[in-house]
Amino acid sequence: MASSPCPPYLEFRHERSRNRITRTLTWFRTPREQMLGVFDALGEAFTEPGYNGCAFVRATAEAPEDSVVRRATDNYRAWVRGLFTELATASGYAGPEELARRLHLLYDGAEQSARMDRDPSAATTARAAAADLLDAAPLTGPATAGQSVSLIVPERQR
């Protein structure tokens, strides 16, 4: 199947989410704080007028497996997971990929709760759970407090 361009709406939503998250992460000094800051950015989205849940979840609800919508969603999800992985690695956590997977599940759960329960505080609850998860996760060595992390910016779909 030939590659189709990303649907403009999903491209816009991905860019908007990425910009909100990267802007929010500039408020935090360490990669560990930035991991928690992702949930602050999520909470900001939940309080926007007309928040109606995750655009990618809604778009893929009935989309065929091999569709441009699924590819756009996979690209967005890979960016979120990659960001968590990069920040977990920079923080010195053992098993950063597994930790990123768990953080991503909290991220997804907060989105669903905010939508289904009409509860914007879901991001705060998910942030607290993420902090507990990070407190319990083993480190491979001392984290570098001032270590800078380049935020992952995916290529635009062609």
Side-chain angles (χ1 to χ4, degrees), residues 29-110:
R29 291 186 17 202
T30 68
R32 184 189 189 282
E33 292 169 344
Q34 289 176 331
M35 278 187 281
L36 297 175
V38 170
F39 295 95
D40 295 338
L42 198 55
E44 183 183 318
F46 297 167
T47 60
E48 288 180 358
Y51 177 76
N52 195 25
C54 177
F56 296 94
V57 169
R58 290 192 326 273
T60 59
E62 296 184 21
E65 227 15 75
D66 186 26
S67 67
V68 68
V69 169
R70 290 281 182 171
R71 286 190 296 280
T73 299
D74 290 347
N75 185 40
Y76 169 72
R77 292 184 59 74
W79 181 81
V80 172
R81 180 77 57 91
L83 176 61
F84 278 131
T85 302
E86 183 177 353
L87 293 170
T89 299
S91 295
Y93 284 101
E97 294 85 7
E98 179 60 23
L99 181 57
R101 182 175 184 272
R102 293 175 182 193
L103 291 167
H104 201 179
L105 285 170
L106 290 172
Y107 182 95
D108 288 346

